[in-house]
Amino acid sequence: MTTNPAPVQGIATREPGEAKPRSTVKLTRAEKRAIAVKGKISSPWASGIAIIIAILWTIPTFGLFVTSFRTSQDIREDGWWNVLARPTFTLDNYQEVLFGGSTNFIEYFINTVVITIPAVVIPISIALLAAYAFAWIDFRGREILFVAVFALQIVPIQITMIPLLTQYVSWGLAGSFWTVWLSHSIFALPLAIFLLHNFMKDIPPSLVEAARVDGAGHVKIFFQVLLPLLVPAIAAFAVFQFLWVWNDLLVALVFGSAQNVAPLTVRLGELAGNRGETWHLLSSGAFIAMIVPVIVFLLLQRFFVRGLLAGSVKG
Amino acid sequence: MDVFANAGAWIGYYWEIISGWLLEASGPGQKLLLMALAVVLFVVVMGGILLAVDKPKRIPNWLVATGFVGPALLFVAFGLVYPALRTMYTSLFARNSDDFIGLDNYIRAFSENEFQIVLRNTAMWVILVPLVATLFGLIYAVLVDRTRFEKIAKTLMFLPMSISLVGASIIWRFMYEYRAVLLDADGNPRNNQTGLINQVLVWIGLEPQQFLINSPWNNLFLIAVMIWIQAGFAMTILSAAIKAIPDDIVEAARLDGLKGMQMFRYITVPSIRPALVVVLTTIAMTTLKVFDIVRTMTNGNFGTSVVANEFYDQSFRLGDAGLGAALAVILFVLVIPLVVYNVRQMRLAEEIR
């Protein structure tokens, strides 16, 4: 078999175009079009099925989205598909869920931001350094340490939680942002190191050697030679980690469920548990929690896919 | 002496204030400031380490390596290795963590009725989600491949991957929303269904259902949410694999007269087999560890709990540290074969290339 499955691309982490091209045969535009015309399964049945699946996958989100702009009375009255019968739209739900005293989502939104940014920056920096050492510094026990870190990817985060929490409590740190940052950083490290190490290994050794001959130390090589080349890899991991942390519920529940620290996901889950029928708040609240990841995703989809492929083991 | 004691008191006094603020920043401004401070502090510490190992000319290699690798190793040793071992140890103790009870927690987790339902549900999740999500993803990837709407069509299915599981659960709870039918004097319903699925049932003349309450079927409706999310993942990876099938193979098959379904059966599926395996195992691993959906939609009630949810409940709500630990270890043990298989398949695929 000479197939070239995508996950391998992701794991081997090669920039398309930078190293080997995917297929050795470059097709001209006309040839491609010819294949496209012939290659399509172009029966009306096929397009019908595709459209049905697309609708199935979109309707649920669309329905809640429409609902979030209806008045709370309309929402209780009938389903969102009747919206065209009485097209009254309002932003009151968003107003209430963001600033209303009982929900106050704006505060939780800020908590999510405060949690997410360091939880992305810190593990990336630590992992970059470690990955550099694993790739370019010769020291004893290097191989075995790297394999150990790699293997740690399979540890489910659940198994670490009780001892970690006990430790945080005994340090008097429990319930602060610090423990949430620390926990997210720890959980991200094995994957980040593995991923960035793979990228670093792909950089031609001659580049590093040349810099070394010029008398550059490790720090200089790291910042001036390698870092610029690693931007795509860092972006891939950053987008993955950003979405992971922003959307996380478990870590936040265990380490940061105090009101002062709790992120949107925790608050939203609470709201769904206690007041399952207040759909005008739940719908608008859900979209407030979703808007940032959706924008990040739409803008940086390419990086996200690569991070995802490599990061599928995490959690 | 007095001076020192005084200075100590002052330092202690200010430290109280500062540490209090560090741990309990409140209000948006303070929190954002704290965040900036944390990042700056972190950068300073890392920079300091780097400078320290770079400054002297004749510094031994191992010291440099320690400076680069040390922080990472410290983090994972403290946060992953030690806690994992500790949890395995705790799982041998009763709920108060004092009385050694051997494997009793594990025996409980496998024999008590309540937990057998949990195990059954987990098995349902781990089997159904990967299979159905991959099936949908594969069909969709093949159908939209090389069509005019490919990009937008793929984005539509992939979008649920980017939102939180809590958000996805709320979206679907709204789909499943149930209203008891109230009849007026003439026997006509007085109220409308607000959940789309129940409305569809009403439209085609059936009774509305309590999708999240009627066990064991409610499990299927929770599983549907995970399928809805993971299908996009499967679709993206399989689509890339399909595009990587060499054109000459496709062309040769076409010359042999293969069409439509045959092409799919004899060319597409065998060519992307490694990708299929990776997708299936990856989704299975993710599914095994997910508890957000169960927690948000039913809170584990009505016979819908899974191991990951039960772990959370036992550890943090019911305070049975021993049983919670045992459940975490079970989760770990269940993941291992999947990971090993997954990694080996990836290696294999890499070698082929």
Side-chain angles (χ1 to χ4, degrees):
Chain A
M1 265 199 299
T2 51
T3 52
N4 183 7
V8 180
Q9 288 264 335
I11 288 300
T13 55
R14 212 162 247 133
E15 263 298 81
E18 161 196 285
K20 273 192 242 166
R22 278 218 194 133
S23 68
T24 40
V25 194
K26 276 266 180 226
L27 294 172
T28 66
R29 212 159 232 261
E31 276 174 314
K32 271 188 190 157
R33 198 167 301 150
I35 290 172
V37 171
K38 275 192 285 176
K40 246 190 329 194
I41 307 174
S42 54
S43 77
W45 277 102
S47 357
I49 296 171
I51 290 170
I52 289 173
I53 296 180
I55 289 174
L56 272 177
W57 252 256
T58 321
I59 283 274
T61 318
F62 181 74
L64 197 71
F65 188 65
V66 171
T67 301
S68 71
F69 293 104
R70 300 180 81 204
T71 65
S72 56
Q73 196 190 338
D74 279 358
I75 296 174
R76 276 195 300 272
E77 188 75 16
D78 55 15
W80 55 269
W81 50 93
N82 296 305
V83 70
L84 288 179
R86 268 175 294 120
T88 40
F89 295 103
T90 171
L91 288 173
D92 287 356
N93 303 336
Y94 285 92
Q95 170 82 22
E96 188 183 342
V97 82
L98 272 174
F99 306 107
S102 68
T103 42
N104 208 6
F105 264 47
I106 187 74
E107 195 188 329
Y108 296 91
F109 188 89
I110 289 169
N111 288 348
T112 298
V113 173
V114 171
I115 287 175
T116 306
I117 292 175
V120 173
V121 173
I122 294 175
I124 289 182
S125 320
I126 296 181
L128 271 173
L129 294 185
Y132 173 81
F134 283 130
W136 297 110
I137 302 179
D138 238 344
F139 60 94
R140 269 180 63 191
R142 179 170 79 161
E143 302 296 320
I144 222 156
L145 275 179
F146 181 69
V147 171
V149 171
F150 169 71
L152 281 176
Q153 282 186 78
I154 69 168
V155 174
I157 59 177
Q158 278 91 348
I159 207 172
T160 67
M161 293 191 137
I162 301 174
L164 269 183
L165 188 63
T166 316
Q167 195 63 61
Y168 293 152
V169 170
S170 76
W171 285 346
L173 288 175
S176 70
F177 282 112
W178 299 90
T179 58
V180 185
W181 292 330
L182 184 57
S183 310
H184 274 304
S185 302
I186 290 167
F187 299 149
L189 273 179
L191 167 68
I193 294 173
F194 173 65
L195 180 61
L196 293 172
H197 171 265
N198 281 348
F199 275 86
M200 292 219 194
K201 270 281 176 206
D202 277 358
I203 291 169
S206 55
L207 269 179
V208 179
E209 283 308 322
R212 226 171 254 169
V213 171
D214 288 347
H218 285 300
V219 175
K220 202 166 175 196
I221 293 177
F222 176 72
F223 280 105
Q224 294 191 344
V225 181
L226 293 177
L227 211 52
L229 295 172
L230 285 171
V231 172
I234 296 172
F237 181 76
V239 173
F240 173 81
Q241 174 74 358
F242 178 88
L243 292 175
W244 207 93
V245 175
W246 190 284
N247 290 331
D248 157 78
L249 176 69
L250 182 58
V251 176
L253 267 180
V254 174
F255 299 119
S257 52
Q259 196 208 341
N260 222 357
V261 179
L264 281 169
T265 46
V266 169
R267 184 70 189 114
L268 200 56
E270 250 171 45
L271 201 64
N274 303 339
R275 302 164 66 183
E277 304 306 309
T278 50
W279 281 110
H280 66 294
L281 295 181
L282 275 175
S283 58
S284 47
F287 279 99
I288 287 168
M290 283 176 213
I291 183 76
V292 174
V294 166
I295 290 173
V296 167
F297 165 80
L298 288 177
L299 292 180
L300 302 170
Q301 196 170 351
R302 191 168 66 93
F303 293 114
F304 178 53
V305 172
R306 300 177 61 208
L308 192 72
L309 290 170
S312 47
V313 187
K314 188 192 167 183
Chain B
M1 279 314 269
D2 228 28
V3 181
F4 284 118
N6 239 337
W10 275 108
I11 291 171
Y13 174 71
Y14 282 114
W15 176 241
E16 284 288 293
I17 295 178
I18 294 170
S19 67
W21 180 78
L22 285 178
L23 293 181
E24 276 158 45
S26 60
Q30 286 192 24
K31 284 177 186 171
L32 292 171
L33 188 67
L34 182 69
M35 174 185 87
L37 189 80
V39 173
V40 169
L41 198 72
F42 172 73
V43 169
V44 168
V45 171
M46 294 306 274
I49 294 176
L50 282 187
L51 273 184
V53 297
D54 202 43
K55 260 274 131 64
K57 269 279 168 274
R58 294 194 163 278
I59 187 161
N61 225 0
W62 63 265
L63 202 61
V64 183
T66 312
F68 276 84
V69 188
L73 291 184
L74 214 63
F75 268 58
V76 296
F78 162 75
L80 293 174
V81 179
Y82 162 74
L85 296 174
R86 178 87 212 176
T87 299
M88 289 176 197
Y89 179 72
T90 311
S91 72
L92 305 175
F93 288 79
R95 61 183 306 140
N96 54 16
S97 303
D98 286 331
D99 306 329
F100 182 84
I101 55 170
L103 293 177
D104 271 12
N105 285 321
Y106 294 92
I107 293 168
R108 263 185 81 192
F110 281 105
S111 60
E112 274 181 26
N113 268 347
E114 179 195 347
F115 294 115
Q116 296 217 312
I117 292 179
V118 171
L119 290 175
R120 180 204 69 191
N121 293 345
T122 308
M124 275 167 78
W125 279 77
V126 174
I127 292 166
L128 283 176
V129 173
L131 286 179
V132 181
T134 308
L135 186 69
F136 270 108
L138 178 60
I139 293 174
Y140 195 68
V142 170
L143 290 180
V144 302
D145 193 40
R146 290 167 175 166
T147 59
R148 257 193 306 161
F149 310 105
E150 180 171 353
K151 203 160 180 239
I152 174 113
K154 282 161 84 173
T155 304
L156 282 181
M157 190 187 248
F158 197 39
L159 210 54
M161 274 303 285
S162 69
I163 65 175
S164 60
L165 293 170
V166 179
S169 305
I170 288 176
I171 288 176
W172 278 90
R173 250 175 75 164
F174 192 57
M175 288 289 282
Y176 294 140
E177 182 80 344
Y178 165 82
R179 292 267 188 99
V181 183
L182 306 170
L183 298 177
D184 61 14
D186 303 328
N188 294 319
R190 271 196 292 143
N191 56 350
N192 299 309
Q193 292 296 325
T194 52
L196 179 58
I197 297 181
N198 271 321
Q199 181 65 63
V200 169
L201 288 184
V202 170
W203 276 332
I204 58 178
L206 298 172
E207 289 286 302
Q209 299 294 317
Q210 304 211 44
F211 289 105
L212 296 179
I213 293 181
N214 300 335
S215 183
W217 304 107
N218 51 3
N219 283 295
L220 293 181
F221 298 112
L222 298 190
I223 288 171
V225 182
M226 193 65 179
I227 292 172
W228 181 70
I229 293 164
Q230 293 293 330
F233 171 74
M235 183 270 301
T236 308
I237 293 178
L238 296 177
S239 169
I242 290 171
K243 288 196 187 308
I245 299 174
D247 292 323
D248 42 353
I249 293 183
V250 179
E251 209 43 40
R254 206 180 307 284
L255 291 178
D256 286 349
L258 258 61
K259 283 210 193 69
M261 278 311 284
Q262 285 176 315
M263 194 69 146
F264 179 73
R265 168 79 183 75
Y266 294 106
I267 301 296
T268 311
V269 172
S271 305
I272 61 171
R273 211 194 75 90
L276 274 173
V277 172
V278 171
V279 167
L280 285 169
T281 47
T282 303
I283 297 180
M285 284 186 290
T286 317
T287 305
L288 201 55
K289 290 181 271 186
V290 152
F291 91 124
D292 314 32
I293 295 176
V294 170
R295 187 173 189 279
T296 311
M297 293 188 82
T298 62
N299 213 349
N301 295 319
F302 321 120
T304 56
S305 196
V306 292
V307 172
N309 184 67
E310 205 58 32
F311 154 79
Y312 180 83
D313 278 355
Q314 294 295 341
S315 305
F316 301 108
R317 291 214 322 221
L318 306 173
D320 192 335
L323 188 57
L327 288 165
V329 174
I330 291 174
L331 214 54
F332 187 30
V333 172
L334 290 176
V335 173
I336 290 174
L338 287 169
V339 177
V340 171
Y341 190 56
N342 182 295
V343 170
R344 283 178 72 177
Q345 282 295 322
M346 282 191 194
R347 281 276 155 83
L348 213 65
E350 222 167 336
E351 272 166 27
I352 292 170
R353 193 167 55 140

